[in-house]
Amino acid sequence: MSRRALTLLLAGFLVLAFGVVGAFRPVPYVVLSPGPTENTIGEVDKKPVISIKGRQTYPTKGALHLVTVAYQGGPAAQIDLLTALRGWLDPTVAVVPQETIFAPDRDPKQVEEENAVEMTNSQDSATAAALNELKIPYAMAVSVAYTEKGKPADGKLKKDDEIIAVDGKAAKDVTAVSDAVKAHKTGDNVVFTITRGKEKLDVTVPTVAGPKGQPLVGVTMQAKYKFPFEVDINVGDVGGPSAGLMFSLGILDKLTPGELTGGKQIAGTGTIEPGGTVGPIGGIAQKMVGAQDSGATIFLTPADNCAEAVKAVPDGLRLVRADTLHSAVQALDALRTGKGDVPACEAG
């Protein structure tokens, strides 16, 4: 073999070797794929997803599927380049920069804690929204879930502090407290009136600039409700707030006579406010694939996700726009009875 041929062979081998090694090097991306679904009027591990005690309930039929997104990767378990490339070639998954899921200034454990708090808040907000829809009264308070280490609230506000006012204005709910903080300029002081045990205190906390420039104090809050009966939601290790709408619909279906679904396989997604407003979520394309895989033919879609959903909707899945819990109930009534308008998603 000539020296030139040997050189080319060696160079080709080195290129291949570097390529193979490079393919298995970790990269800062996360793969999002369709996650598991759960029927909110069904069971998980032989236990009802939604259990209600102390109030009459009614039989249900069909399904109200919550949908999820599974992710692979993250700071603690980065994917390799080959996995990312496979994801880019698969139309049912998305490959996104790691920082879109895991903020650079937050560790994975903190993200998990936030997801757990968001899921608890989502379940409570879903119950509150369902009771508001049925005009059943309840009591509510805003409490501190935890503070972020190194942020201004750390050491000043404590877990389980009940926030009763911000700058002298009553703390109606978590959103109101958050909005009151955001209304300040970075560097301003925020005065929280709290109860800690039997003590009432005014706690002054300065704001700092958050990742997007908005002022924050570094406190995560949760609503503490006192409902007139017990509502228990069991979904295993599913986290985040995006199942709120489907929880509310499941609670409503169990608390009212008749079948909300008409026996159909319904799926959907969306955050929920206690007042019934449905908010947008992430991963809509993957969630629609998961909905179709679960056998659903109708997908309740937050209004703000409609434009994106229309572009990626799988064949055979009908998109129904959900602005509020009330409008979602009306849409399901129209689908069941064949009477009334069913709001559809439209391209933006």
Side-chain angles (χ1 to χ4, degrees), residues 59-76:
T60 60
K61 284 187 179 179
L64 289 165
H65 296 287
L66 66 85
V67 288
T68 65
V69 174
Y71 74 86
Q72 183 181 2

PDB file of all heavy atoms in Angstrom, residues 59-76:
ATOM      1  N   PRO A  59     -72.495   8.592  38.831  1.00  0.00           N
ATOM      2  CA  PRO A  59     -71.713   7.751  37.912  1.00  0.00           C
ATOM      3  C   PRO A  59     -71.261   8.542  36.680  1.00  0.00           C
ATOM      4  O   PRO A  59     -71.906   9.504  36.269  1.00  0.00           O
ATOM      5  CB  PRO A  59     -72.693   6.641  37.514  1.00  0.00           C
ATOM      6  CG  PRO A  59     -73.787   6.681  38.535  1.00  0.00           C
ATOM      7  CD  PRO A  59     -73.871   8.098  38.996  1.00  0.00           C
ATOM      8  N   THR A  60     -70.141   8.127  36.104  1.00  0.00           N
ATOM      9  CA  THR A  60     -69.611   8.767  34.901  1.00  0.00           C
ATOM     10  C   THR A  60     -69.331   7.710  33.833  1.00  0.00           C
ATOM     11  O   THR A  60     -69.189   6.523  34.143  1.00  0.00           O
ATOM     12  CB  THR A  60     -68.302   9.521  35.194  1.00  0.00           C
ATOM     13  OG1 THR A  60     -67.342   8.582  35.692  1.00  0.00           O
ATOM     14  CG2 THR A  60     -68.516  10.614  36.228  1.00  0.00           C
ATOM     15  N   LYS A  61     -69.255   8.169  32.606  1.00  0.00           N
ATOM     16  CA  LYS A  61     -68.888   7.284  31.487  1.00  0.00           C
ATOM     17  C   LYS A  61     -67.936   8.028  30.561  1.00  0.00           C
ATOM     18  O   LYS A  61     -67.784   9.245  30.645  1.00  0.00           O
ATOM     19  CB  LYS A  61     -70.136   6.849  30.710  1.00  0.00           C
ATOM     20  CG  LYS A  61     -70.963   5.792  31.407  1.00  0.00           C
ATOM     21  CD  LYS A  61     -72.084   5.297  30.493  1.00  0.00           C
ATOM     22  CE  LYS A  61     -72.913   4.222  31.172  1.00  0.00           C
ATOM     23  NZ  LYS A  61     -74.019   3.739  30.294  1.00  0.00           N
ATOM     24  N   GLY A  62     -67.325   7.274  29.640  1.00  0.00           N
ATOM     25  CA  GLY A  62     -66.383   7.901  28.724  1.00  0.00           C
ATOM     26  C   GLY A  62     -65.082   8.203  29.430  1.00  0.00           C
ATOM     27  O   GLY A  62     -64.705   7.543  30.399  1.00  0.00           O
ATOM     28  N   ALA A  63     -64.377   9.226  28.960  1.00  0.00           N
ATOM     29  CA  ALA A  63     -63.083   9.569  29.547  1.00  0.00           C
ATOM     30  C   ALA A  63     -62.803  11.056  29.395  1.00  0.00           C
ATOM     31  O   ALA A  63     -63.200  11.688  28.414  1.00  0.00           O
ATOM     32  CB  ALA A  63     -61.964   8.763  28.884  1.00  0.00           C
ATOM     33  N   LEU A  64     -62.110  11.583  30.396  1.00  0.00           N
ATOM     34  CA  LEU A  64     -61.590  12.958  30.368  1.00  0.00           C
ATOM     35  C   LEU A  64     -60.093  12.844  30.625  1.00  0.00           C
ATOM     36  O   LEU A  64     -59.628  12.870  31.762  1.00  0.00           O
ATOM     37  CB  LEU A  64     -62.279  13.811  31.440  1.00  0.00           C
ATOM     38  CG  LEU A  64     -63.742  14.172  31.193  1.00  0.00           C
ATOM     39  CD1 LEU A  64     -64.391  14.695  32.468  1.00  0.00           C
ATOM     40  CD2 LEU A  64     -63.858  15.206  30.076  1.00  0.00           C
ATOM     41  N   HIS A  65     -59.335  12.675  29.548  1.00  0.00           N
ATOM     42  CA  HIS A  65     -57.908  12.397  29.655  1.00  0.00           C
ATOM     43  C   HIS A  65     -57.087  13.666  29.891  1.00  0.00           C
ATOM     44  O   HIS A  65     -57.188  14.623  29.114  1.00  0.00           O
ATOM     45  CB  HIS A  65     -57.384  11.746  28.373  1.00  0.00           C
ATOM     46  CG  HIS A  65     -57.961  10.402  28.079  1.00  0.00           C
ATOM     47  ND1 HIS A  65     -57.615   9.274  28.794  1.00  0.00           N
ATOM     48  CD2 HIS A  65     -58.855  10.006  27.133  1.00  0.00           C
ATOM     49  CE1 HIS A  65     -58.272   8.232  28.304  1.00  0.00           C
ATOM     50  NE2 HIS A  65     -59.031   8.653  27.298  1.00  0.00           N
ATOM     51  N   LEU A  66     -56.274  13.661  30.939  1.00  0.00           N
ATOM     52  CA  LEU A  66     -55.223  14.673  31.030  1.00  0.00           C
ATOM     53  C   LEU A  66     -54.031  14.137  30.243  1.00  0.00           C
ATOM     54  O   LEU A  66     -53.820  12.923  30.147  1.00  0.00           O
ATOM     55  CB  LEU A  66     -54.858  14.965  32.489  1.00  0.00           C
ATOM     56  CG  LEU A  66     -54.193  13.872  33.336  1.00  0.00           C
ATOM     57  CD1 LEU A  66     -52.680  13.845  33.134  1.00  0.00           C
ATOM     58  CD2 LEU A  66     -54.494  14.092  34.810  1.00  0.00           C
ATOM     59  N   VAL A  67     -53.272  15.025  29.646  1.00  0.00           N
ATOM     60  CA  VAL A  67     -52.138  14.616  28.810  1.00  0.00           C
ATOM     61  C   VAL A  67     -50.858  15.248  29.346  1.00  0.00           C
ATOM     62  O   VAL A  67     -50.890  16.314  29.957  1.00  0.00           O
ATOM     63  CB  VAL A  67     -52.359  15.022  27.340  1.00  0.00           C
ATOM     64  CG1 VAL A  67     -53.418  14.152  26.693  1.00  0.00           C
ATOM     65  CG2 VAL A  67     -52.758  16.492  27.214  1.00  0.00           C
ATOM     66  N   THR A  68     -49.751  14.590  29.117  1.00  0.00           N
ATOM     67  CA  THR A  68     -48.482  15.052  29.667  1.00  0.00           C
ATOM     68  C   THR A  68     -47.387  15.017  28.607  1.00  0.00           C
ATOM     69  O   THR A  68     -47.562  14.441  27.534  1.00  0.00           O
ATOM     70  CB  THR A  68     -48.043  14.174  30.863  1.00  0.00           C
ATOM     71  OG1 THR A  68     -47.781  12.846  30.385  1.00  0.00           O
ATOM     72  CG2 THR A  68     -49.114  14.131  31.941  1.00  0.00           C
ATOM     73  N   VAL A  69     -46.268  15.628  28.937  1.00  0.00           N
ATOM     74  CA  VAL A  69     -45.072  15.590  28.097  1.00  0.00           C
ATOM     75  C   VAL A  69     -43.957  14.939  28.905  1.00  0.00           C
ATOM     76  O   VAL A  69     -43.703  15.325  30.052  1.00  0.00           O
ATOM     77  CB  VAL A  69     -44.649  17.002  27.659  1.00  0.00           C
ATOM     78  CG1 VAL A  69     -43.316  16.962  26.911  1.00  0.00           C
ATOM     79  CG2 VAL A  69     -45.711  17.630  26.766  1.00  0.00           C
ATOM     80  N   ALA A  70     -43.321  13.949  28.313  1.00  0.00           N
ATOM     81  CA  ALA A  70     -42.159  13.331  28.948  1.00  0.00           C
ATOM     82  C   ALA A  70     -40.900  14.026  28.433  1.00  0.00           C
ATOM     83  O   ALA A  70     -40.869  14.481  27.288  1.00  0.00           O
ATOM     84  CB  ALA A  70     -42.111  11.845  28.620  1.00  0.00           C
ATOM     85  N   TYR A  71     -39.880  14.143  29.278  1.00  0.00           N
ATOM     86  CA  TYR A  71     -38.647  14.758  28.809  1.00  0.00           C
ATOM     87  C   TYR A  71     -37.456  13.854  29.105  1.00  0.00           C
ATOM     88  O   TYR A  71     -37.450  13.066  30.046  1.00  0.00           O
ATOM     89  CB  TYR A  71     -38.438  16.146  29.426  1.00  0.00           C
ATOM     90  CG  TYR A  71     -38.031  16.169  30.878  1.00  0.00           C
ATOM     91  CD1 TYR A  71     -36.688  16.058  31.243  1.00  0.00           C
ATOM     92  CD2 TYR A  71     -38.982  16.312  31.889  1.00  0.00           C
ATOM     93  CE1 TYR A  71     -36.303  16.077  32.572  1.00  0.00           C
ATOM     94  CE2 TYR A  71     -38.604  16.338  33.219  1.00  0.00           C
ATOM     95  CZ  TYR A  71     -37.260  16.220  33.557  1.00  0.00           C
ATOM     96  OH  TYR A  71     -36.884  16.234  34.872  1.00  0.00           O
ATOM     97  N   GLN A  72     -36.463  13.957  28.245  1.00  0.00           N
ATOM     98  CA  GLN A  72     -35.221  13.212  28.399  1.00  0.00           C
ATOM     99  C   GLN A  72     -34.070  14.206  28.329  1.00  0.00           C
ATOM    100  O   GLN A  72     -33.980  14.996  27.391  1.00  0.00           O
ATOM    101  CB  GLN A  72     -35.087  12.172  27.275  1.00  0.00           C
ATOM    102  CG  GLN A  72     -33.870  11.288  27.378  1.00  0.00           C
ATOM    103  CD  GLN A  72     -33.782  10.287  26.230  1.00  0.00           C
ATOM    104  OE1 GLN A  72     -34.620  10.288  25.335  1.00  0.00           O
ATOM    105  NE2 GLN A  72     -32.773   9.439  26.252  1.00  0.00           N
ATOM    106  N   GLY A  73     -33.206  14.197  29.331  1.00  0.00           N
ATOM    107  CA  GLY A  73     -32.093  15.132  29.372  1.00  0.00           C
ATOM    108  C   GLY A  73     -32.166  16.009  30.596  1.00  0.00           C
ATOM    109  O   GLY A  73     -32.894  15.724  31.546  1.00  0.00           O
ATOM    110  N   GLY A  74     -31.399  17.085  30.594  1.00  0.00           N
ATOM    111  CA  GLY A  74     -31.339  17.978  31.738  1.00  0.00           C
ATOM    112  C   GLY A  74     -29.936  18.024  32.301  1.00  0.00           C
ATOM    113  O   GLY A  74     -29.080  17.192  31.959  1.00  0.00           O
ATOM    114  N   PRO A  75     -29.663  18.986  33.187  1.00  0.00           N
ATOM    115  CA  PRO A  75     -28.310  19.169  33.725  1.00  0.00           C
ATOM    116  C   PRO A  75     -27.739  17.920  34.396  1.00  0.00           C
ATOM    117  O   PRO A  75     -26.542  17.670  34.315  1.00  0.00           O
ATOM    118  CB  PRO A  75     -28.488  20.291  34.755  1.00  0.00           C
ATOM    119  CG  PRO A  75     -29.712  21.019  34.305  1.00  0.00           C
ATOM    120  CD  PRO A  75     -30.605  19.985  33.700  1.00  0.00           C
ATOM    121  N   ALA A  76     -28.598  17.128  35.041  1.00  0.00           N
ATOM    122  CA  ALA A  76     -28.100  15.964  35.773  1.00  0.00           C
ATOM    123  C   ALA A  76     -27.968  14.728  34.889  1.00  0.00           C
ATOM    124  O   ALA A  76     -27.336  13.746  35.285  1.00  0.00           O
ATOM    125  CB  ALA A  76     -29.028  15.652  36.948  1.00  0.00           C
TER     126      ALA A  76
END
